[in-house]
Amino acid sequence: MVDRLVCRVMPYAWGSRTAIAELLGRPAPNEDPEAELWMGDHSMAPSSLVRNGKTALLADVIAENPVRELGEMTVRAFGARLPFLLKVLAAREPLSLQAHPNLAQAEAGFDDEERRGVVLTAPNRNYKDRSHKPELLCALGPFDALLGFRRIDDTISLFDALDVKELEDVLAPLRRTRSRAGLSTTFRAIMTAQGDRRASMVDATVAACARTNELAKDAFAKERAWTARLAALYPGDVGVISALLLNNVHLEPGEAIYLGAGKLHAYLGGVGVEIMASSDNVLRGGLTPKHVDVDELAGLLDFEDGPIAPMRARAIDEVERVFDTPAREFRLSMMHLAKTPAIMRTMHGPEILLSTEGAARIRTGAGDVTQLERGACAFLGANTDSYILDGEGTIFRATVNLV
């Protein structure tokens, strides 16, 4: 069975006033920012559907018959819930520096905060559930992000070029050892600086980045420019300095990045399709007015250093390309329909299909026919063995990664 989904838009302040409205065919610009369109059964913004003339939450439909909707394999692996959450993310301004725990860290952290009586909605709560949150983002247009720690020698070169005497003490462990242990110590020292020392470090770093110094010929011109912008958005935030430790990654349409546990990152701007394990566990590291727990964050960070290359999808056939990741909860692929003959896809679990360009028609063996115009999405329960697609456009296909 194919069910059209009605999905919620999250109005975070960093969102675009045009991107999601235009995708959904609404007038733009929107009065308020629209940051994310959520497709799934997450309790924060659950999708709904109309089945047999009745409107119901997707979560309730799944709970009524988990095996029918998710399949036995998915239920055995993840329980009676949709294990992935699909989003369209539209960032007009940078998001906070953040990282996500692995499964063991999430379980231990959640249970510890429960034992200590930290209310789930408390602003200082770190763990909202017992799940990890691997995620993948595929760019729909030019997209910029910070992801993972830059190669240590390159980071030292960057700070040598900036020549900020106020940073010498915190950079000393990194310069001395040029190791991941030194990187960890330097990160903690930056993040725990207090009061006047913190202010002078941030101000001096921003001033150094603002120096012209033939920026067009500067190997770190992009990093300097982003620092100036981040400092304007988050004045006095020490995350402006720690962001300089990270790789600046640019994506073109169709390219992607995968974020495993412990990868410090921040989306800087752009529009993309994002898929993740269905979790809300986020530990922040700056560029935000929200709670930052430095000890907890540093304890779960992956301090592996090195460049990050954009991912490109692997062709399955002439129509579909898949992004390969180690995550079991999700699998994301793109299907490009271009006046080709109808194609059949075999299902191995629940699916959500999202149209980002053009329009497609979905047909099942049961005789269901569903139109999927630009911006529309549909849920296909696991009791649908296969379906046929035709039309012209781009369809994102989200499912589990268990086969």
Side-chain angles (χ1 to χ4, degrees):
M1 182 174 290
V2 182
D3 298 294
R4 290 271 298 234
L5 290 178
V6 178
C7 304
R8 290 179 57 183
V9 175
M10 307 302 275
Y12 306 139
W14 48 262
S16 168
R17 286 180 165 80
T18 58
I20 290 178
E22 290 172 353
L23 176 68
L24 298 179
R26 293 195 269 99
N30 195 62
E31 183 177 348
D32 299 312
E34 296 180 311
E36 296 177 342
L37 176 69
W38 286 32
M39 292 159 276
D41 65 354
H42 196 285
S43 59
M44 280 185 60
S47 300
S48 59
L49 52 81
V50 178
R51 182 179 288 183
N52 300 324
K54 296 182 179 179
T55 300
L57 292 177
L58 176 59
D60 292 342
V61 171
I62 291 172
E64 183 180 322
N65 194 331
V67 172
R68 179 188 66 199
E69 305 299 338
L70 303 178
E72 291 185 8
M73 184 168 52
T74 301
V75 172
R76 282 198 305 269
F78 306 112
R81 63 184 183 91
L82 189 66
F84 61 83
L85 176 63
L86 185 66
K87 299 180 180 179
V88 175
L89 180 145
R92 178 177 55 89
E93 294 182 352
L95 283 66
S96 61
L97 281 171
Q98 57 188 263
H100 311 301
N102 63 31
L103 188 56
Q105 291 164 340
E107 291 173 344
F110 181 86
D111 292 346
D112 175 64
E113 289 185 321
E114 289 291 285
R115 282 193 299 270
R116 292 191 287 112
V118 183
V119 179
L120 198 60
T121 56
N124 64 328
R125 177 88 185 210
N126 289 319
Y127 298 93
K128 302 298 179 67
D129 52 61
R130 303 181 77 250
S131 177
H132 63 167
K133 193 187 176 189
E135 60 189 48
L136 176 130
L137 181 136
C138 174
L140 293 180
F143 197 99
D144 289 292
L146 300 173
L147 173 57
F149 289 97
R150 185 189 300 103
R151 194 169 70 94
I152 288 172
D153 286 347
D154 292 338
T155 291
I156 290 174
S157 294
L158 184 156
F159 282 105
D160 283 345
L162 292 180
D163 190 25
V164 179
K165 69 180 190 313
E166 288 85 353
L167 294 180
E168 286 309 305
D169 287 348
V170 297
L171 292 173
L174 184 61
R175 293 186 188 279
R176 183 171 58 250
T177 67
R178 294 184 180 244
S179 67
R180 294 173 189 175
L183 181 58
S184 172
T185 302
T186 285
F187 176 79
R188 285 178 178 269
I190 291 170
M191 295 299 298
T192 54
Q194 299 295 321
D196 292 342
R197 181 168 181 249
R198 171 182 285 210
S200 66
M201 284 168 48
V202 173
D203 291 346
T205 301
V206 174
C209 287
R211 295 181 197 128
T212 54
N213 194 27
E214 296 184 289
L215 286 184
K217 299 179 182 179
D218 184 351
F220 302 108
K222 184 164 60 173
E223 286 78 5
R224 290 176 184 257
W226 272 112
T227 298
R229 183 174 176 191
L230 293 173
L233 291 169
Y234 304 101
D237 194 313
V238 75
V240 169
I241 303 174
S242 53
L244 285 167
L245 301 171
L246 304 183
N247 291 294
N248 196 304
V249 182
H250 177 78
L251 303 178
E252 289 297 325
E255 295 182 330
I257 47 176
Y258 174 73
L259 290 71
K263 286 293 186 184
L264 190 62
H265 65 279
Y267 294 148
L268 297 175
V271 181
V273 173
E274 187 181 27
I275 191 167
M276 63 196 66
S278 190
S279 169
D280 194 36
N281 280 327
V282 177
L283 280 92
R284 294 176 176 84
L287 307 182
T288 179
K290 295 182 180 180
H291 175 62
V292 175
D293 186 331
V294 175
D295 287 338
E296 193 70 24
L297 173 68
L300 63 79
L301 282 183
D302 175 1
F303 285 97
E304 179 180 5
D305 65 302
I308 300 291
M311 293 176 61
R312 291 175 174 82
R314 172 178 58 86
I316 295 175
D317 54 29
E318 69 281 2
V319 172
E320 186 171 5
R321 294 181 295 154
V322 65
F323 292 102
D324 294 315
T325 79
R328 298 172 70 241
E329 288 86 354
F330 62 78
R331 179 178 183 267
L332 185 70
S333 60
M334 298 180 293
M335 295 183 285
H336 295 292
L337 308 175
K339 296 182 180 178
T340 55
I343 59 167
M344 186 177 76
R345 301 288 95 164
T346 300
M347 294 178 57
H348 301 286
E351 295 192 9
I352 292 178
L353 300 181
L354 165 69
S355 172
T356 57
E357 288 293 340
R361 182 172 62 171
I362 311 169
R363 290 178 287 158
T364 69
D368 297 325
V369 179
T370 303
Q371 291 292 130
L372 212 59
E373 67 277 2
R374 183 172 187 259
C377 58
F379 173 76
L380 288 77
N383 62 327
T384 303
D385 295 328
S386 63
Y387 57 89
I388 294 172
L389 272 179
D390 60 29
E392 186 173 2
T394 300
I395 305 294
F396 280 84
R397 182 188 189 192
T399 187
V400 292
N401 194 24
L402 297 176
V403 177

